[in-house]
Amino acid sequence: MTDADLRNVQKLRKDIFLTAYSYPQGASHLASSFSIVEILYTLYMKGIMRYRPQEPWWPLRDRLILSKGHAGLALYSALCMAGFFDETVLMQYCKPGSKLGSEPKMHDLPGVEATTGSLGHGLSFGCGVALAAKMDGLDAKTFVIIGDGESEEGTIWEAALSAVRHGLDNLTAILDQNRLQKMGTVKDIIGVDDWQDRWRSFGWHVMVANGHDVDALRRAFIAPSPPGMPKMVVANTVKGKGVSIMENNPDWHYKMPLKREMQRVLQDLEIDEMELAKCREPI
Amino acid sequence: MQRAYLMELYELAQADRDVVSIIADNGTGFDGLFKDELPAQFLDFGISEQHMVAAAAGMACCGKKPFLYTAGAFFAYRAYEFIRDDLCLQNMNVTVVGNGAGLSISTLGPTHHTTEDISALRALPNLTLFCPASPLEVRKVMRAAYLINGPVYIRLGMGGEPELYNEDYDFVPGKAVQLAAGEDITLFVTGSIAGEALGAARTLEQAGISTRVVNVHTLKPFDSDGVLEAARDTKMVFTVEEHNILGGLGAAVAEVLAAAGCGKRLCRIGLEDVFAKDYGTLATVRQANGLDAAAIAKRIQKEINAIGRRVTP
């Protein structure tokens, strides 16, 4: 990863935190958002997806569907960096009249391709998009980010079967394998530590990558799949990545730091007091 | 009705290559038409109704016009969240066609009945909800659905329903239609049980009770004005449906009458918060559950007598 990459992903993490912090009354899914920063960064900023920020609904665009919708903060930050809208929009988060809630809503913001929030919908939705592209002979690619906790939902596997059956080699699913869910580890709750073999057995072309290494992700995204096989990139990630007290700690699924925890958080994210105060200013 | 559905869909698909016929291992028996003639506009997702609905939303997002077909129970119950979140919340141009309306899948028992679907679906914002009563009405409803740019649910019967209309039937989406004139009571119906309602009306006429039968083929948007007009014209209001009396047609009529304060007494005929019983033909199952013409007429007569009000001149 270049220095620029490191600065940029840190910027995304900062934006995620400041956006969440701008809503004083409640918590956010910070940790789930932090684990997919490099994935989104690589897709949008390292030449993987084709899109036009000034023409967000360009019919030939590639699409990203955030099936694990609770990581909406990460998506908003990435879309902002990609030029779909400017930073002032982020500060509307959860304010009255805002288009930005915790879970993204289709078309409410340029670049948001699907309304997600209830888990297990996005991969099926992505299959539909990929199918339509095939039916129309388009080159467009579809990317869907799913979670490992989310993999407990049955419809993920309906979609897994269907994508292979319909030869959706224009579909790439990315598993944010951070190994945690809300009440504990995925291994503890459902008995699965690594999902890659299951995807292989369903007939997907599976690549495994360090989910925080932009170069490794990039290689996984551009590696060709055998014709007719959808691709699954299993990204090994850390929930809460970037903030030491959050990393790998299920307690951080849905909360904001307490006063005594803030110093550590601000230090890790390189946020100064002025930036912090600014995001609480009335718009 | 299945035949009417598929034939109309085929015509639409021939004229518009974005129309896609989608099933879930549960076709009409006429799907050969699509498989042989328009294979590029046909998909079978297998027994995965939730996936089917979400995938259809994805296709609609790209300009396709999916028509989904399977047993209504699997749409309205199993895939309800997907209809809600993927179709209604995102206002996607998808038509969901649930067959086996009411008790019309009559040999498989209540898992295949749709007797709470109207109640559940009525409450979904952005949804248009049709419940056609005859094959011709199915065709009209399909045309209307095609023209609506948003989610539509069609509650379809199975087969063998009698035709209730002439070829020149002027179907207007959202406007209830009078099937029989009458001055004493109004009987609102929805779906193919309209045939039974007409039978009941004939029996009641003979007993001197002039019965207006009104078919509410569009449950959403609901024809409140049409319902109120008929209610005001007559002395008492009845509804009959192959559905729980909670939340369905009867409830929709009750909402309108109560809000208008029109003061007309309402009696809802349907399943009284029970699952339907028995197996057999639709005719015998209706009989077993008090929903055939004779039972409807008897119930109406009983209600009128109980009120002790003279409704005959």
Side-chain angles (χ1 to χ4, degrees):
Chain A
M1 281 171 72
T2 65
D3 283 342
D5 289 338
L6 289 167
R7 275 196 306 275
N8 287 336
V9 299
Q10 181 71 318
K11 172 83 168 78
L12 288 174
R13 290 193 161 88
K14 277 178 71 161
D15 279 349
I16 288 167
F17 185 77
L18 288 172
T19 306
Y21 189 77
S22 76
Y23 174 58
Q25 287 88 359
S28 293
H29 294 94
L30 289 172
S32 305
S33 302
F34 285 146
S35 61
I36 61 168
V37 164
E38 284 78 8
I39 293 166
L40 287 168
Y41 176 72
T42 309
L43 286 170
Y44 279 102
M45 306 304 293
K46 301 300 280 188
I48 304 299
M49 281 177 58
R50 285 171 314 173
Y51 58 90
R52 292 179 183 171
Q54 304 313 317
E55 203 189 325
W57 314 117
W58 171 45
L60 304 181
R61 69 190 184 280
D62 293 339
R63 300 183 201 211
L64 181 282
I65 290 144
L66 184 65
S67 189
K68 49 166 282 178
H70 53 286
L73 287 171
L75 179 64
Y76 303 146
S77 304
L79 291 175
C80 181
M81 182 175 279
F84 283 92
F85 47 81
D86 73 59
E87 281 189 4
T88 55
V89 173
L90 293 177
M91 294 299 112
Q92 290 171 18
Y93 179 68
C94 289
K95 310 276 188 308
S98 166
K99 297 283 193 201
L100 263 77
S102 256
E103 319 268 2
K105 204 142 165 282
M106 179 201 257
H107 297 162
D108 264 10
L109 269 197
V112 176
E113 302 283 4
T115 300
T116 51
S118 179
L119 298 174
H121 289 236
L123 189 58
S124 294
F125 186 90
C127 283
V129 172
L131 254 171
K134 284 230 174 247
M135 288 164 98
D136 290 342
L138 299 180
D139 208 8
K141 305 233 178 317
T142 306
F143 297 87
V144 183
I145 300 177
I146 66 170
D148 43 9
E150 182 179 15
S151 303
E152 291 160 15
E153 287 286 1
T155 38
I156 291 290
W157 304 100
E158 290 181 19
L161 288 169
S162 192
V164 172
R165 169 61 185 80
H166 290 102
L168 302 180
D169 49 19
N170 56 346
L171 175 67
T172 298
I174 303 123
L175 172 61
D176 174 25
Q177 188 158 265
N178 63 33
R179 294 181 159 82
L180 292 187
Q181 48 189 116
K182 182 170 175 179
M183 302 307 289
T185 65
V186 175
K187 175 130 201 265
D188 197 37
I189 287 169
I190 210 65
V192 180
D193 178 64
D194 195 321
W195 295 82
Q196 58 176 290
D197 287 341
R198 282 167 172 78
W199 288 93
R200 259 185 217 106
S201 78
F202 272 66
W204 286 58
H205 180 62
V206 177
M207 315 238 8
V208 182
N210 173 349
H212 298 297
D213 179 343
V214 169
D215 300 318
L217 285 168
R218 191 159 189 283
R219 284 194 297 275
F221 290 140
I222 64 179
S225 308
M229 283 178 92
K231 184 194 289 183
M232 160 52 82
V233 174
V234 173
N236 285 310
T237 56
V238 173
K239 194 168 180 181
K241 176 79 173 175
V243 179
S244 49
I245 58 173
M246 293 186 190
E247 290 186 2
N248 273 322
N249 185 347
D251 290 347
W252 283 96
H253 178 78
Y254 186 71
K255 73 174 194 168
M256 290 299 279
L258 301 168
K259 278 204 174 70
R260 63 171 186 273
E261 294 165 328
M262 276 296 278
Q263 202 198 10
R264 203 59 227 266
V265 173
L266 298 181
Q267 201 169 34
D268 287 346
L269 294 177
E270 297 171 286
I271 296 173
D272 63 49
E273 290 292 340
M274 245 179 43
E275 285 174 299
L276 197 67
K278 190 150 183 286
C279 80
R280 284 262 172 105
E281 276 170 18
I283 328 174
Chain B
M1 287 196 194
Q2 294 185 79
R3 190 168 185 285
Y5 159 69
L6 206 286
M7 293 307 163
E8 199 62 35
L9 183 61
Y10 181 65
E11 271 178 47
L12 290 168
Q14 281 178 308
D16 183 347
R17 60 177 284 276
D18 285 329
V19 168
V20 186
S21 173
I22 307 181
I23 64 172
D25 190 40
N26 194 6
T28 60
F30 305 98
D31 301 307
L33 256 186
F34 272 89
K35 287 184 192 167
D36 299 335
E37 316 289 327
L38 299 172
Q41 289 171 250
F42 176 79
L43 282 165
D44 182 351
F45 276 127
I47 312 174
S48 305
E49 297 83 2
Q50 295 172 340
H51 169 72
M52 180 204 212
V53 173
M59 295 171 74
C61 206
C62 301
K64 297 296 172 194
K65 298 167 194 175
F67 283 74
L68 314 184
Y69 178 88
T70 192
F74 312 141
F75 278 136
Y77 309 142
R78 185 183 221 109
Y80 183 78
E81 184 189 279
F82 294 72
I83 293 174
R84 177 184 184 273
D85 289 354
D86 299 316
L87 303 188
C88 295
L89 183 54
Q90 300 187 123
N91 217 358
M92 291 281 99
N93 189 17
V94 174
T95 301
V96 179
V97 183
N99 75 17
L103 310 174
S104 55
I105 299 181
S106 51
T107 56
L108 303 186
T111 60
H112 282 61
H113 295 162
T114 67
T115 44
E116 306 81 26
D117 56 331
I118 300 174
S119 174
L121 294 165
R122 251 191 349 121
L124 290 179
N126 300 328
L127 187 69
T128 301
L129 177 55
F130 290 123
C131 188
S134 77
L136 181 57
E137 197 158 68
V138 169
R139 289 188 165 246
K140 303 279 185 180
V141 156
M142 281 290 285
R143 288 275 156 183
Y146 175 74
L147 294 172
I148 293 169
N149 187 6
V152 177
Y153 190 100
I154 300 174
R155 192 179 189 250
L156 197 76
M158 290 303 281
E161 292 87 0
E163 188 50 67
L164 303 172
Y165 301 100
N166 298 325
E167 271 302 316
D168 64 354
Y169 167 38
D170 181 27
F171 170 85
V172 178
K175 291 230 69 55
V177 58
Q178 183 171 287
L179 296 180
E183 303 310 312
D184 293 328
I185 63 170
T186 300
L187 176 55
F188 291 108
V189 300
T190 194
S192 69
I193 200 169
E196 303 292 336
L198 288 168
R202 283 192 289 276
T203 304
L204 291 164
E205 294 286 340
Q206 277 155 26
I209 300 167
S210 167
T211 305
R212 181 182 304 198
V213 180
V214 176
N215 179 22
V216 185
H217 48 62
T218 310
L219 289 158
K220 187 166 185 163
F222 196 68
D223 185 8
S224 307
D225 291 343
V227 162
L228 272 174
E229 193 188 312
R232 285 181 174 131
D233 279 355
T234 52
K235 303 184 192 79
M236 190 166 168
V237 180
F238 292 83
T239 60
V240 67
E241 57 196 305
E242 244 166 82
H243 190 275
N244 197 326
I245 58 168
L246 300 179
L249 171 67
V253 169
E255 285 165 17
V256 167
L257 297 187
C262 84
K264 292 294 160 75
R265 198 175 192 89
L266 166 68
C267 168
R268 295 159 294 155
I269 300 170
L271 295 168
E272 314 229 327
D273 201 22
V274 290
F275 292 108
K277 56 186 184 183
D278 241 45
Y279 308 89
T281 63
L282 180 54
T284 63
V285 170
R286 278 175 177 165
Q287 270 166 27
N289 291 279
L291 293 173
D292 60 302
I296 294 168
K298 195 161 165 210
R299 175 72 189 281
I300 290 175
Q301 184 76 83
K302 180 176 162 213
E303 292 297 324
I304 290 171
N305 294 345
I307 303 229
R309 193 180 296 170
R310 283 175 46 86
V311 289
T312 51

